[in-house]
Amino acid sequence: MSGRPVRVGRGPLQGVEERMRLVKRARLLARLGLVWHGIEAGVAIGAGIVAGSIALIGFGSDSLIEAAAGIVILWRFASGRISSEGAERRAQRMIGLSYFLLAAYVGIESGRTLLLQEHPATSWVGMGLSVVTLLTMPPLARAKARVGEELGSAAVKGEGTQNMLCAYLSAALLIGLGANALFGWWWADPLAALVIAGVAVREGLESWRGEQCGCYAGEEPDRREDGRTLRAR
């Protein structure tokens, strides 16, 4: 018999203490993301208004939506238990609708900017914010993915995916703002905004269908803090 220690599989049926430790960590990560996205949204929208950059405004609006996703996670694990399927389904559909509104606003404003050939001012603040986001979001996304995997929560993993998406969007934003600042390519800003709008539509569809967090089809029964299974709702 091998002398190597046997690794006990982790998942929804793990011990109560370990599960509660992971729930607390999921809450902590959600709160960290919530604080950052609030700051990110304020800086991006403010800088976007000053520079006349629709891409920055769209990026800041997306940050507000990601903050809403963090609130959903905190609600889901309130009192140490999984919330009802129906309530969480309604919350995800509200997030999906907000994505559609974001896509419509950014799409219309980007089209107007391209049609009227409006030139946004250079925003070094926006570019700095993009760099910071590129550095901070991937580690946060990976941490949430690990906790979601160990906790058996597709919702936590889905929120981590949103954070990684935020990093990708910040890269598109940085390219658009940088091209405008360095080469005077004013059209790069609204084109970057259209990329954000397209991603928002995709995320909205996934959220509306329940695919983004995967927490509706075949959801596990609710469990109390003592580990006993509650009647599935």
Side-chain angles (χ1 to χ4, degrees), residues 23-229:
V23 166
K24 290 178 181 178
R25 184 165 177 78
R27 290 173 181 164
L28 175 61
L29 291 172
R31 290 189 182 103
L32 287 175
L34 189 59
V35 170
W36 168 250
H37 288 308
I39 297 173
E40 186 180 61
V43 173
I45 293 175
I49 292 174
V50 171
S53 170
I54 186 60
L56 262 175
I57 295 174
F59 183 75
S61 301
D62 178 76
S63 298
L64 292 177
I65 294 172
E66 292 192 59
I71 294 174
V72 170
I73 294 299
L74 292 175
W75 174 58
R76 177 178 176 84
F77 290 105
S79 303
R81 68 176 183 84
I82 299 176
S83 63
S84 70
E85 177 182 337
E88 193 163 323
R89 183 73 177 112
R90 287 191 295 273
Q92 287 294 324
R93 285 199 166 188
M94 289 178 64
I95 293 176
L97 285 174
S98 64
Y99 269 117
F100 296 144
L101 291 175
L102 167 66
Y105 169 73
V106 173
I108 291 173
E109 285 298 308
S110 297
R112 186 180 66 83
T113 299
L114 288 170
L115 183 63
L116 299 179
Q117 298 186 8
E118 296 178 350
H119 295 208
T122 299
S123 177
W124 297 107
V125 173
M127 284 187 280
L129 177 66
S130 301
V131 172
V132 173
T133 301
L134 272 173
L135 295 175
T136 56
M137 283 299 101
L140 182 62
R142 287 192 292 267
K144 289 181 179 180
R146 285 195 299 269
V147 171
E149 183 70 27
E150 294 186 68
L151 190 58
S153 172
V156 176
K157 292 175 65 177
E159 194 205 1
T161 301
Q162 283 193 351
N163 294 152
M164 190 60 74
L165 172 66
C166 182
Y168 297 150
L169 292 180
S170 66
L173 177 67
L174 182 59
I175 292 173
L177 294 177
N180 178 55
L182 297 176
F183 308 112
W185 295 351
W186 62 269
W187 43 264
D189 183 272
L191 285 182
L194 286 176
V195 172
I196 295 176
V199 173
V201 170
R202 189 196 69 182
E203 292 300 308
L205 288 171
E206 291 181 358
S207 183
W208 182 266
R209 295 167 181 166
E211 296 172 4
Q212 194 171 65
C213 70
C215 47
Y216 307 116
E219 180 172 310
E220 65 179 51
D222 291 352
R223 288 184 173 81
R224 298 192 326 209
E225 291 188 15
D226 58 8
R228 296 179 181 176
T229 302

